[in-house]
Amino acid sequence: MKAPLIAAGFALVASTAAAETLTVYAPDYFASEWGPGPAIQAAYEAECGCELEFVTGDVLPRILLEGERSEADVAIGLSQDEIARAGASGLFAPHGQDVSSLTMPVSWEDDTFLPFDWSHLAFIYDERTENPPTSFEALLALPDDTRIVIQDPRASAAGLALVMWVEALYGDKAGEAWERLAPKILTVTKGWSEAYGLFTEGEADMVLSYTTSPAYHIMAEGDESKKAAIFEEGNYLYVELAAKLASSDQPELAQGFMDFILSDGFQQAIPEGNWSFPAKLDPEKLPEVFRNLPVPATAVYVSAEEAEALKADAIETWRQGLSQ
Amino acid sequence: MAARSEPVARSLAALAAALVLALTLGTLVAVALRAEGFAGVSAAARDALWFTLWQAVVSATLSVVLAIPVARALARRSFYGRGAVITLMGAPFILPTIVAVLGLVAVFGRSGAINASLRALGLPEVSLYGAQGVILAHVFFNLPLAVRLVLQGWLAIPAERFRLAASLGMGPGAVQRGLEWPMLRGVLPGAWLLIFALCLTSFAVALALGGGPGATTVELAIYQAFRFEYDLGAASVLGLVQFALAGTAAALAWGLARPAVFAGGLGGTVRRWDGGGWLRVQDALCVALAALFLLAPLCAVALKGVAGLFEMPGTVWAAAGRSVAVALGSAALCLALTLPMALAARRGLWVQLVGVLPLAASPLVIGTGLFIVSYRWVRPDEIALLVTAVVNAVLALPFALAVLVPAAAEMRAGKGRLADSLGMGGFARLRLVTLPALRRPIGFSLGLAAALSMGDLGVIAMFADGDTATLPLQLYRLMASYRIEQAAGAALLLLALSLTLFWAFDRGGRADAGA
């Protein structure tokens, strides 16, 4: 990891001495040495001749706390169901990118929040599983002794996305869907890691994750036994977004970074850094495993506005459906 | 009370108490002041409140009740490996949730050892998920702590009392009535209170093993308010609810406790003449069962980690170094805070309250409150490690107080009177009277504080960045990027380091720890 050495020992000096520093708020997984952060940092620093610094943590809550005084120039790693709230704060400025030719399953309209990667939500199972579900309906019809681990929508982005997925498919009948799923839910975890850990321990038959999860097992472990359940009606599309702050004291660098996001230098760090699909990359440039990864033909998609409007009630429906 | 050393200890104690209040109630106020309004508590939070309360009561009661026979066995027997068992008793308590949960799953889970045996015998399987799983996990976490707290009480009974009891021909029953029960009346309510407060704010464990939203705690509602609704008002109201619950419990425990002071032993090694025959078998069984229950999941964690231990990148080792430094600073600070408090305290209700607030405080509220107060002046990542050390020192304070306050009272009643009559004060008194008399609880407090901050994750999340990551944070990062095997290696490293730190400080549980 090419972390700026000064930052470790002389953070004080660094913050005053370096004239041109771009501060990017990012989730922990993004900026960690196993995430895409370091490669993106190196590529952008070479391009701009400046310093890029990641600040990790809960991106949006922190920016909302800091308001216009925030040190952040760019925020990255926001999810689809956060951006309506983020946009309403007025803290973010337009990205100014051409989003007409993204390599995403849906067309993108928003001019403030820029997609940088995406994946479908999917239930991951072991290849030994007999009759893996081929639709959400088939999932609900699985025998009750199937054991599925999901994440809590009140604490996890993936968990919330699942609630939106059910809402999009079942609408008024979402409560019934949860009641049908309830006997199969082994447990609900705080975050993705706990759930995935339970699955790899052999404790659960299925775990809620992403269609791109098998890619990790194939590329890093040579293990082809983990499969994502692809549904006929499509899987839920999970998009990650970035935006620049209106209050940035480095507007040029921030804009430069927004321009950089859709370029190959950024996008090629995504597949093996974030284990998801780049928002704009020629498929030829994808790693082979990603090119051959089974993905659903269509995507189940909930817009940011809808997600914001549905969120509270949908979570309550989920809670009551599973508390039966 | 020690007349001469009082003013200094008093003012230091007041300072320490002020710091505790600032970090707990102060941060809550800081969060509340930034809130944009206070709505009522939602239905979900009300449901969570009920579950939180009853599981905390059951978990704490079970932990304390089960701890009594185990602690008694450890107190009246000496056997090969006793010291190791007592040290390992410090382990589960400090594991990051995710590690502890996976350890429990390896033993009690679907494909765990217990269910495999049950299947082999054709018996129905037991499920780890649901309220019973939450309680099992909480007992796993807190039984060792309860055993240690009760054991400290046992070891505080002077050797002369047991000798006298033996010369009077008192059997095990009479020793129980005359010596052990009065001691337990003093120790148990405090131990129960600490564990109750710990289970009150538990969140990731309850979630992972709860089996569904029926088993969620108030802490989760706080998390949700912060992370998903940005509703500081709801978060601070719920934080206040947690304080109110813990405060009520503290008052209750204080009312029930009857501190026993066995003034005046010479502090020799305790020998016991009671409890031969089948009691020996009973004691052996208690220790064996407790050790098995606690060690099996830890062994599972260790076994899984061996392979990953040699695959970890240098940054994980660097994070481990940072964690050790933070732990040492935190331990020293914890002692500096608690010693004056213990010396100045007369076991009043306020000590009990100050001693429980840090446990009832939501790490999220503390972290966010500190952030709100500080971010205008300093960059959070610059003070991340400092904040971690200070907050963990305060979080460890309840445990340190729990063992130091009774020990200090014991000391005042015994050697303190002699020191007063000699007009001894200041540094000489500290060196010749206070430190030797309190060596055992001080060691335990230091060990616990160090181990606790090794495992901390809660508060640092608001402040950390890539360059100041601690070992638990790196462990979570490894998990988040699918590197389960390396994460298991990091977990083993964390376990080993915490235990080493704990063991280095805590020599007090040894049978032959004479004065």
Side-chain angles (χ1 to χ4, degrees), chain B residues 70-99:
Chain B
V70 181
R72 185 178 55 195
L74 287 170
R76 70 182 174 196
R77 305 282 167 214
S78 63
F79 53 89
Y80 185 74
R82 177 177 176 274
V85 170
I86 292 175
T87 297
L88 285 169
M89 289 271 172
F93 182 62
I94 44 108
L95 284 178
T97 314
I98 195 164
V99 177

Side-chain angles (χ1 to χ4, degrees), chain B residues 38 79 95 146 183 200 277 336 351 410:
Chain B
F38 297 92
F79 53 89
L95 284 178
M183 180 277 293
L200 203 62
V351 181
E410 186 73 33

Side-chain angles (χ1 to χ4, degrees), chain B residues 44-54 216-218 241-242 245:
Chain B
R46 275 197 301 277
D47 289 357
L49 190 65
W50 170 236
F51 175 78
T52 306
L53 199 58
W54 82 255
T216 48
T217 53
V218 177
V241 166
Q242 280 186 345
L245 289 176

Side-chain angles (χ1 to χ4, degrees), chain B residues 276-316:
Chain B
W278 79 273
L279 284 178
R280 197 181 294 268
V281 179
Q282 180 195 317
D283 284 350
L285 208 62
C286 286
V287 173
L289 282 175
L292 192 66
F293 170 57
L294 298 169
L295 297 184
L298 291 178
C299 288
V301 170
L303 284 175
K304 264 203 277 289
V306 171
L309 202 54
F310 303 101
E311 295 183 12
M312 287 185 305
T315 45
V316 172

